[in-house]
Amino acid sequence: MIYLPIELLKPGMVVARAVESYSDSFSLPLLNKGQILTDSIIRRLVSRNIHGCFIDTDFTKDIEPGCIIAPALKKKTISGVKKVFDEVLVEKKVSKESMRLVLEISEELVLQILENEELLIDLQNYDNYTYRHSLSVAVFSIAIGHKLQYSTSLLMQLATSALLHDLGKTDVPIEIINKPGRLTEEEYEIIKQHPQMAVNRLKEGGHVSDLVLNSILNHHERYNGTGYPKGLSEIDIPVYGRILAVADVYDALTSFRPYRRPWYPDAAIDYIRNYKGIYFDPAIVDVFTNIVVPYPVGTMVELSNGCPAIVIRNNVDKMRPVLRMFNVDDDTPFREVDLMNDAEFENIRITSLGYNSNIVDYNSFIVQPEMDYDTGTINS
Ligand SMILES: [Fe+2]
């Protein structure tokens, strides 16, 4: 399968991996595996802020991007977090039963991530932002904590902090959260209260450790002291807060937001690197950039020789994965190249994600004749 951003999806392409929406009702399936895209389906994806999906083509059938979290646990996590947020909206606190569910999910996430030996985090965020963001921040935070050799019980607390880090946003008017333009000073002041609001709501219900409360309180602090709520700097910021900060910003950048397109992973990694020692703890940035994959399996890249290629496997050197090049010449429709080991490609590097390449004919990814799938008639 290959990942295509929404603007390249065309009627007649076949969906390779299901996409679900979790925003307004429990796990609403938007796309099913094997479904053929139509104009109206694509329009629905746009309206749901879905920014792309995996599709199947003849020459990418065998490419199978990893799934760091099994679909069932992903579903359980997202619906669990949604349940807690909904509860806080009404009850203004988190019940004992909900906290038990969050702890159970935290444990399952930690155990599942620890099974991943290479610990390369290859997340393609195409479901919509709400609640899924908490899961992604948890995955990145657990992976960073594991590399820092934290015990399982500490990783579980880190996971809980990540799952609930934005709980205080239930106290922020939705118009401010989703505001497309720049926030006014007053609106920003309200946003800045959400870490403390989360702590208040969690304290109200009890059953949460000080470690979790402190991590949540400090997830918007910046290494140079320009963050909030207290403007703490460097090691005065509790280490979990420093971990959550990196995971939170990376996932926010790579997710669709109402006011901008998602950044591709390579650009978001550059951003995190550029602010190393400024917004982010340098040691945590180093760990993070070691585990996160800039060119996930199934994405299209462009090489310095101008050729497009699809990532089929990641290498220890994540900047030099194994690629499948296509349209090499008439006799060689595809060719596999290991950028780490192929001498011929020694001086070739990946310059960017390759979706802007005009060499690729995306119409060739359409598996069905062009027809109006909404009415079932063939277009002439
Ligand atoms: Fe936040």
Side-chain angles (χ1 to χ4, degrees):
M1 63 182 82
I2 178 172
Y3 177 82
L4 288 187
I6 188 95
E7 62 273 17
L8 296 178
L9 296 177
K10 294 177 192 298
M13 289 178 173
V14 176
V15 176
R17 194 169 272 185
V19 175
E20 308 208 12
S21 167
Y22 300 88
S23 60
D24 44 16
S25 66
F26 169 67
S27 171
L28 176 74
L30 281 179
L31 287 180
N32 293 313
K33 182 177 159 57
Q35 193 168 1
I36 296 172
L37 291 178
T38 66
D39 272 327
S40 72
I41 291 172
I42 295 171
R43 278 199 300 276
R44 195 162 75 233
L45 296 179
V46 172
S47 74
R48 291 276 176 173
N49 295 341
I50 302 297
H51 52 81
C53 73
F54 284 102
I55 64 151
D56 261 333
T57 72
D58 281 344
F59 54 93
T60 62
K61 268 196 183 121
D62 58 322
I63 301 177
E64 189 65 43
C67 234
I68 185 140
I69 300 298
L73 180 54
K74 181 179 168 186
K75 213 173 216 177
K76 179 175 175 180
T77 306
I78 293 173
S79 61
V81 172
K82 178 170 166 30
K83 184 169 173 272
V84 176
F85 275 58
D86 286 349
E87 182 179 75
V88 170
L89 270 172
V90 179
E91 307 290 338
K92 304 296 177 196
K93 62 178 186 181
V94 183
S95 66
K96 197 172 177 182
E97 182 201 325
S98 290
M99 261 332 285
R100 201 175 295 137
L101 174 66
V102 172
L103 294 177
E104 184 185 302
I105 291 170
S106 298
E107 182 172 19
E108 287 179 44
L109 287 173
V110 169
L111 295 178
Q112 210 162 96
I113 290 169
L114 298 193
E115 272 174 18
N116 180 318
E117 275 177 19
E118 285 177 48
L119 207 70
L120 288 181
I121 309 293
D122 181 343
L123 280 184
Q124 279 287 71
N125 293 328
Y126 45 83
D127 295 318
N128 38 8
Y129 189 70
T130 327
Y131 315 116
R132 196 271 312 140
H133 172 65
S134 304
L135 166 64
S136 303
V137 174
V139 170
F140 287 120
S141 301
I142 295 165
I144 294 169
H146 180 50
K147 283 282 174 189
L148 293 171
Q149 300 185 322
Y150 289 174
S151 67
T152 304
S153 86
L154 285 179
L155 291 178
M156 280 173 59
Q157 300 207 56
L158 184 53
T160 301
S161 315
L163 292 174
L164 302 177
H165 75 281
D166 269 344
L167 189 70
K169 286 197 174 164
T170 50
D171 281 289
V172 178
I174 191 76
E175 309 81 62
I176 298 182
I177 304 260
N178 286 335
K179 186 173 172 181
R182 245 186 123 76
L183 296 177
T184 64
E185 218 158 282
E186 296 76 44
E187 288 166 340
Y188 190 49
E189 285 306 315
I190 296 174
I191 285 270
K192 277 161 66 175
Q193 290 167 16
H194 80 271
Q196 184 62 55
M197 291 312 294
V199 169
N200 296 352
R201 299 300 175 208
L202 287 163
K203 269 188 173 166
E204 192 80 22
H207 335 292
V208 187
S209 72
D210 285 347
L211 187 60
V212 169
L213 295 176
N214 254 325
S215 315
I216 293 175
L217 184 63
N218 292 295
H219 76 272
H220 282 289
E221 295 291 6
R222 286 174 170 169
Y223 201 67
N224 64 359
T226 60
Y228 62 85
K230 291 190 190 133
L232 299 179
S233 61
E234 304 193 9
I235 55 168
D236 287 343
I237 309 168
V239 65
Y240 280 18
R242 283 177 264 148
I243 294 174
L244 290 183
V246 171
D248 183 27
V249 170
Y250 177 81
D251 188 65
L253 290 174
T254 54
S255 300
F256 182 97
R257 306 298 294 124
Y259 38 87
R260 59 153 174 76
R261 282 188 53 86
W263 292 26
Y264 286 117
D266 56 342
I269 292 170
D270 280 349
Y271 178 92
I272 299 282
R273 275 211 187 98
N274 287 340
Y275 286 96
K276 172 175 163 176
I278 302 171
Y279 292 168
F280 310 115
D281 180 336
I284 290 167
V285 170
D286 287 344
V287 171
F288 178 75
T289 50
N290 249 315
I291 53 178
V292 71
V293 172
Y295 304 112
V297 170
T299 51
M300 180 103 73
V301 292
E302 190 168 321
L303 300 177
S304 49
N305 61 3
C307 288
I310 300 170
V311 179
I312 59 174
R313 205 164 51 251
N314 268 289
N315 270 322
V316 182
D317 180 350
K318 298 187 299 303
M319 303 305 282
R320 303 193 68 75
V322 182
L323 304 173
R324 179 169 299 164
M325 301 178 63
F326 48 98
N327 301 340
V328 178
D329 56 48
D330 288 347
D331 299 325
T332 327
F334 331 120
R335 174 180 170 186
E336 282 182 15
V337 172
D338 183 343
L339 284 188
M340 251 182 90
N341 296 307
D342 199 322
E344 198 191 324
F345 281 75
E346 208 175 18
N347 298 318
I348 304 285
R349 61 191 170 81
I350 296 176
T351 52
S352 62
L353 270 280
Y355 296 110
N356 294 328
S357 168
N358 47 20
I359 298 174
V360 182
D361 175 13
Y362 290 100
N363 288 317
S364 67
F365 295 178
I366 296 171
V367 293
Q368 298 284 328
E370 203 177 321
M371 63 187 288
D372 184 336
Y373 292 98
D374 297 325
T375 59
T377 53
I378 294 182
N379 291 333
S380 52

